Amino acid sequence: MGRPKLEIGTYGELTTAELRPGVWEAVARYRDLDGVTRRVKAHGASQAKAKAALRGKLKERKRTNGGGGDLTPDSTVEELAELWLAHVRLEHDQAVERGAKPSKSSDSISQYERCLEKVIVPALRKVTLRELRPQRVDRFLRTLPANGRMAKTVLSQICDLGVRYEALDVNPTLRGYVPPRAQTDRRVLTPEAAVQFRQRVHAWMHQGATHGPKRGYDRLRIVDVLLGTGIRIGEVLALAWADVLDLDSDHPTLYVGWHLDKASKRVEGRKSGGAPYELSLPPLAVEALKEQRDLQLPFDLVFPTRNGTAQSESNVRRHLREARGDDMGWVVPKTMRKTVSTAVYEAKGLEAAQRQLGHATPETTRRHYVKPSEKAPDNREALAEYSTRIRPADPQEREKTG
């Protein structure tokens, strides 16, 4: 009898052989998506390292083939999640290869991975799709924190794939509990508070510095660009001088079309996947950029490290936390984005605030970035006719109307 046929997307026993001193080869049979079984090899300095390299190679092969393997009602949530994530990655890579815009950005995919790793898989790892009934899903959703809405969204998309592959009859999340939205912090910096925050950043930069360059030498200028534009901190740190247009003219502008990925690498496109755009620069941002330019750093980036690479977003955030003080603990880079959007909204309306932040729709700006006014506009003129008819200025007319 011949050896049993492998399931598609699986591999057989790993065998190893020492080719020469210090060089080991690991081999396994892998059945590809087309049904053909092929030998896959990997090498390493030891038997264990060769096996580890081969397992990584087989895992990558499964990923690039769209996950491999057939789903059944007895497949687990973990297996379905792995297949869904493999499909999402593959669709992203194929779109990039075609020069098209991916439906999901690399940053979004990273968020999905963290959600799966931290929330969904630990709770439902070995639950079979047959057991993934609406009642079980509803109980799981009720355990999520207030910011757990993404987990429901991701789980729903995973289950949609299970339905398409006929491993689930229906999507069990459709009528499940909806975790409440996390409360949006609506606080923004007043001009006075912005001055105070800048003073604290300035003091932090000079703290303990008796000679040599100040620590975080550019933190105050980064804050000024944040307060002058409202763009994201990852977009500020990704700025190159080629993005700063007509800085010495009467109408300097900024091209916002790059951001930093999770590895602090400058990548084209905006974090949200929105379209690149240009915005006008106010004096605060202009002066900060001119001061940075005057340093004559030999790099393309506006705010580089001392080696010319992009700065880590987490490092800048940490420095601002150290500088702000406990009483301003609510001030984060996003606070400055909200401050800008609220100022523009109050002066020119919601559409102008939306365009300043580069959002696709005004609803995103209104819901998450604009602080609602605590004072209604002066509407006395609109209500004047009711006042004159009900309580006329003339006492005799007032008597007639009762």
Side-chain angles (χ1 to χ4, degrees), residues 256-278:
V256 185
W258 298 79
H259 74 283
L260 299 185
D261 64 11
K262 61 181 180 180
S264 296
K265 180 181 177 183
R266 184 176 188 258
V267 293
E268 191 169 7
R270 297 180 55 231
K271 181 179 179 180
S272 61
Y277 68 111
E278 290 184 14

Side-chain angles (χ1 to χ4, degrees), residues 3 19 45 101 125 173 176 198 228 256 272 323 327 345 358 397:
R3 66 179 73 185
L19 301 181
K101 179 182 176 182
R125 185 186 306 273
T173 69
R198 291 183 76 260
V256 185
S272 61
D327 59 326
Y345 166 70
E397 289 297 324

